[in-house]
Amino acid sequence: MPKQYAINQSPLYKLVGLRQLELCLGIDLERLDKLLKDGSYRTWVNDNDRAIQHPLGWLAQVHSKIAHYLAKIETPDYVYHKKGRSHVKNASEHTGYHLVAKTDISNYYPSITRAMLKSMFVKKFKCALDVAGILADICTYQRTHLATGSGVSGYLAFWASKDLFDAVYELSRARGCVFTLYVDDLTISGNAASKKLLTEVRAIVKRNGLKTKETKSKTFAAHATKMVTGVVLKGNESLLSNKRHKEIADNRIAIANTGNANIKATLQKSLKGRLMAAKQIIDSNEIKTVTSSDLIYS
């Protein structure tokens, strides 16, 4: 098979028998309870007060296999969270002097329920009902919702919400606007990317059983400086945010002030990552008024 293929070429497509499912995932359904046993996830709350559920052991391996299959399915051109693209490329689609509207989906992965996934496997992947139910069980945390710390969740969330995103794309195109999606971030740019259009987009999300964040639903004037997926857009340029500049500067100061070799090594690794991320943003500009070395290393 080619690197990318249509959904109907996926090993997950039209699984209508339990034996087909076992062969596809390399599992024995008689051991399904063991696969989904208590303790199959490590859970914790991160620094942003977000609950994380991370699959372990055998379940992690099965999630990885499903994610591998899903990653190979072609997705619409408006999708930017895929191989060969990035949050920087996503932002760069909206450079220029025009209106920008953006919003994101609140509590995205936990909002994708087992019932939604089962319906997706039936309607999008044409699986039998019993197969779809088992797949939904395997892919959800305690058979309730998508796990926030699994590599399969991003792919599944997209396919479960594809009708929603397609509707936003069609609406944007009808208004002469550009629409891009980066995981749960929806961005629209163009002369019609107004508050009215943003209200219509949020209504589409709501009709599909999800919610948008009020604080992250914003519109920007044509000549305003805009923040899109972590990148500052100023006219035709993509720039590093003040926050990222400060993090780099603080990182340098911390390295200069520590005498502990282990701490210094950790800080240097962190700085390297921040510099690489910053370089990616600056180097994305077609016409550069500053270079990455001017901005970062001087």
Side-chain angles (χ1 to χ4, degrees), residues 22-35:
E22 289 181 324
L23 292 172
C24 180
L25 300 187
I27 63 173
D28 180 351
L29 290 177
E30 290 185 0
R31 301 179 66 204
L32 185 61
D33 286 345
K34 184 175 181 181
L35 179 66

Side-chain angles (χ1 to χ4, degrees), residues 239-267:
L239 301 171
L240 201 61
S241 68
N242 289 337
K243 179 182 176 183
R244 300 305 177 201
H245 277 296
K246 186 175 186 304
E247 287 174 347
I248 290 171
D250 289 347
N251 212 152
R252 291 187 186 279
I253 292 168
I255 289 170
N257 289 340
T258 185
N260 185 300
N262 291 330
I263 293 175
K264 188 170 186 176
T266 300
L267 289 169

Side-chain angles (χ1 to χ4, degrees), residues 104-111 184 205 210-214:
D104 73 14
I105 297 173
S106 179
N107 211 29
Y108 188 31
Y109 292 174
S111 297
D184 58 354
V205 175
L210 299 174
K211 297 178 181 179
T212 51
K213 296 176 183 174
E214 184 68 37

